[in-house]
Amino acid sequence: MVVDADEEVLFFPTYGRPDGGGGWHVHVRGWVYDPREDSRSRRLLLGMLSHALGLAPEQLESATFRERAWAFLVDNERGKRLAVRLGGAEFVLEQSGAGGHFEGTIPLGAGVAGWVAFEAVTALDDGRRFAGRARLLDGDGLSVISDIDDTVKVTEVGDRRTVLANTFLREFRAVPGMADVYRRWSEAGAAFHYVSGSPWQLYRPLSAFLSSSGFPDGTYHLKTFRWRDPSAVKHLSQHEEAKRSAITALLEAFPSRRFVLVGDSGEQDPEIYGRLAREYPRQVTRVLIRDVSGSGVAADRFGGLSPGVWSVFHEPGEIDVRSPVLPFRE
């Protein structure tokens, strides 16, 4: 139940919700893997990835490619049960799944607020520390659920080859002005949840990019991805069901919070957000869509959602940062 010497653990930023008695239920999610640098499976997967991208041999050695690709090439540890230390107590989680991912909910007492830290239990003679954190969120308040690709980061999702190049070969670029809007909302008390169809393997470069670009800290909700899927490369850019499920989980975890959903018109955000706003009308108070085509977004893409709830913008400066939410809808 401790981390073995040849394994590493990566925790993803999550949340804690009130337990109804003054304490918290803290959601823990992470990934356990063997980072070995040279293995037959690693070489095979590197070949698959470079073939899918059409890379020349020298491109495989670029610093950007190596930074983005490493997490796709590790050996995932399936069936591993880890213990987590939080608030002076230790808790054993359920076994990790086929992709090395694990999650669970552990209790935390009253008297704490903000972000709380926890860590994986390691052997007494193991000096390594694998730390995670969760933001404790009150039952009420405001949360902003934000897409990443083409909402806050320029990805150009409409073309698969361009998506792969922007993901693995090029420096990430922020959508100008979006960080300013998000910081204004954060200063007003909003919590942030970054929900994306990008795979968990890109968590480190994505979170570093958002932080360096000035976006507020937040929880992350990405997509589970495995190379063993026969359509793996195709699925790198398909994410509708994963996104809807992740947002639904947040809405159900916090039934009294208000939510603003921010996305773009490039794929299915208007349809997904419109459906969720109709299903959770007292929680989803506003839907904001960035028009990436410049040709407008048809009202019927929101599935009959009232125009007073959704709005489309071309530039972040068009967003009224003084009023990020609408009143509760009956």
Side-chain angles (χ1 to χ4, degrees), residues 49-101:
L49 186 57
S50 61
H51 176 74
L53 289 165
L55 298 182
E58 61 270 17
Q59 289 177 296
L60 295 176
E61 300 303 319
S62 74
T64 299
F65 178 78
R66 294 177 68 86
E67 175 198 7
R68 308 276 173 80
W70 76 268
F72 291 89
L73 307 174
V74 301
D75 290 333
N76 301 312
E77 296 294 333
R78 180 176 187 169
K80 180 73 178 184
R81 298 194 74 181
L82 297 177
V84 173
R85 185 179 294 112
L86 171 67
E90 295 183 3
F91 306 91
V92 179
L93 303 176
E94 294 296 322
Q95 290 184 353
S96 57
H101 285 246

Side-chain angles (χ1 to χ4, degrees), residues 227-247:
W227 278 114
R228 293 182 183 275
D229 187 322
S231 301
V233 173
K234 178 181 178 181
H235 289 167
L236 273 172
S237 59
Q238 291 185 346
H239 61 274
E240 288 81 5
E241 183 57 35
K243 178 180 288 187
R244 192 179 70 82
S245 296
I247 297 174

